[in-house]
Amino acid sequence: MDMTGKLHIGGVAITPNLVLAPMAGVTDSSFRRLIKELGGVGLIVTEFISVEGLTRGNMRTHRMMKFLPVERPLSIQIFGHNVDRMTAAAEIIEECGADIVDINCGCPAKRVVKGGGGSSLLRDLPQLEKILRGIRNAVSIPVTMKIRTGWDESSINAVEVGRVIEGCGANMVAIHGRTRMQGYSGSANWDVIAAVKKAVSIPVIGCGDVTTPDIAVDRLRETGVDAVMIGRGAIANPWIFRQTSEMLRGEPIYQPPLGEKHRVLHRYHHLLRDELPERALTGKLKQMCAYFTHGLEGGARLRERVFQSQTITEIYDLIDMYFSSMMERGCPPEWSRHPAPPTAVSTDSSRASL
């Protein structure tokens, strides 16, 4: 572990040693670019991509691989069970110019597990090894794997899995500190992550419950991991990478003023609008606003009204009104003076997949 913030995954230099976690429905190109613009992130990982769709020419799946040079260094994550299709998908990823290919061995979603991918591979180490060796032999870019601590509390096997990953020639292992059966409940077990770090010589990245810069730095110091991966904490506070990097360097920690938060919400809209139809864009903005306004005075009322909105214009009228009132008067708007927009069901059904 290097507290100066340097990490190498194969031949790819990662500076600082802070990683944006792959999150289904969240870490698309727009969100990744937003995080990159705000600074402090060393590596970005895409939301996971199905090898079935990728190798069968599904256009929507191929669009998920889209990235811009500003997002580098970039790791594209895939999931699946079939060795041939996993290998073919890794070759496609290398051909598209990605810096790293990452194998998802941690997703707890039923649809993924039912197909033999994600966390189910933690119970099928021979298949995991076949997949990893097949990909390692097929591509020249670094190969990494993201796992969980085990299937359930009675089968914690992250150390064993870590050794298999290292033995297959992979360049890094990332560990979410929960079991598959925990899903996203309970607390992340960083003792298991620390045990994996002691057991292998390849870089180890820890993930789970990193919601503040202080926690990120503490995890680096306490466990000896080579980097920390941040997921949901980056949605609520996209400056967390910059703040953690500043803390690692002993510099003053940036605290974004309200005006900057207002600007970033508009910037996210700008990044999204050329990629999504309005229906999908509306859901994304509602999702971001929901995370972004937790803890702000009057934020709950703003979220309530935003989720009732049906159009982008309605959403931003409410957001602009809120931030203007907070900056000019120091308090939320008197919403009673402004009728709420017609009720609508949110279009967003995505869930972070850390």
Side-chain angles (χ1 to χ4, degrees):
M1 186 272 293
D2 189 340
M3 287 295 290
T4 63
K6 297 178 181 178
L7 168 67
H8 281 84
I9 299 176
V12 179
I14 309 299
T15 305
N17 52 345
L18 304 172
V19 183
L20 174 64
M23 293 179 281
V26 177
T27 48
D28 56 16
S29 181
S30 300
F31 186 77
R32 299 192 305 259
R33 281 181 280 154
L34 179 68
I35 292 296
K36 195 74 173 184
E37 286 180 7
L38 296 179
V41 65
L43 175 66
I44 286 174
V45 187
T46 69
E47 56 185 323
F48 65 1
I49 298 174
S50 167
V51 298
E52 295 295 325
L54 197 58
T55 57
R56 296 180 190 276
N58 181 283
M59 292 308 297
R60 180 180 178 276
T61 306
H62 276 262
R63 283 196 296 272
M64 292 175 69
M65 287 201 306
K66 174 186 174 184
F67 67 92
L68 297 177
V70 70
E71 299 173 45
R72 294 186 184 278
L74 179 91
S75 174
I76 295 182
Q77 187 183 81
I78 55 175
F79 75 94
H81 178 266
N82 181 276
V83 176
D84 292 338
R85 291 202 178 276
M86 291 287 281
T87 301
E91 291 174 329
I92 292 171
I93 287 169
E94 182 172 37
E95 289 170 3
C96 87
D99 299 293
I100 297 169
V101 58
D102 184 64
I103 304 165
N104 183 302
C105 191
C107 179
K110 288 183 179 179
R111 67 179 180 87
V112 175
V113 171
K114 186 177 180 181
S119 297
S120 67
L121 289 170
L122 296 174
R123 298 193 297 178
D124 189 356
L125 297 194
Q127 184 68 9
L128 181 152
E129 184 172 352
K130 289 176 184 177
I131 289 171
L132 194 47
R133 288 193 185 280
I135 292 176
R136 178 67 286 170
N137 292 333
V139 301
S140 60
I141 59 175
V143 176
T144 63
M145 181 170 277
K146 186 166 186 279
I147 68 173
R148 285 190 169 227
T149 56
W151 179 260
D152 56 26
E153 289 298 324
S154 65
S155 56
I156 301 294
N157 63 345
V159 169
E160 179 185 1
V161 176
R163 287 175 173 148
V164 170
I165 292 170
E166 180 178 34
C168 291
N171 302 98
M172 180 273 284
V173 57
I175 310 159
H176 182 104
R178 289 180 172 85
T179 66
R180 186 271 169 178
M181 295 305 292
Q182 275 185 278
Y184 300 95
S185 65
S187 301
N189 187 337
W190 281 78
D191 290 338
V192 174
I193 297 173
V196 176
K197 174 57 188 173
K198 292 179 180 178
V200 301
S201 60
I202 58 174
V204 173
I205 296 178
C207 176
D209 300 339
V210 180
T211 55
T212 68
D214 303 76
I215 293 174
V217 173
D218 286 345
R219 294 294 178 259
L220 283 167
R221 288 174 174 159
E222 294 167 359
T223 65
V225 292
D226 299 277
V228 292
M229 179 178 279
I230 304 174
R232 287 173 288 182
I235 309 174
N237 174 21
W239 294 273
I240 191 171
F241 297 101
R242 171 179 174 174
Q243 293 167 338
T244 304
S245 184
E246 289 168 340
M247 184 172 287
L248 286 169
R249 297 194 301 266
E251 299 175 356
I253 308 303
Y254 176 71
Q255 298 297 337
L258 279 172
E260 171 67 355
K261 293 186 175 184
H262 189 199
R263 182 195 72 79
V264 166
L265 278 170
H266 275 280
R267 177 57 178 160
Y268 186 53
H269 175 215
H270 177 80
L271 291 169
L272 281 169
R273 65 186 181 185
D274 293 331
E275 297 186 20
L276 297 174
E278 181 162 327
R279 182 176 176 83
L281 178 54
T282 301
K284 284 275 191 177
L285 292 175
K286 289 179 179 181
Q287 179 190 46
M288 176 61 85
C289 185
Y291 277 101
F292 220 52
T293 57
H294 276 286
L296 295 181
E297 183 182 357
R301 182 62 175 142
L302 171 63
R303 292 191 294 276
E304 177 186 342
R305 295 174 69 87
V306 163
F307 273 93
Q308 291 174 348
S309 300
Q310 299 185 70
T311 68
I312 300 297
T313 299
E314 289 174 352
I315 291 173
Y316 273 101
D317 281 348
L318 290 166
I319 289 173
D320 292 346
M321 186 188 309
Y322 171 82
F323 279 98
S324 293
S325 180
M326 289 296 293
M327 288 185 283
E328 293 171 6
R329 300 168 47 232
C331 62
E334 297 179 23
W335 295 112
S336 60
R337 296 182 181 178
H338 308 279
T343 301
V345 177
S346 169
T347 61
D348 178 67
S349 61
S350 62
R351 177 173 183 178
S353 177
L354 286 73

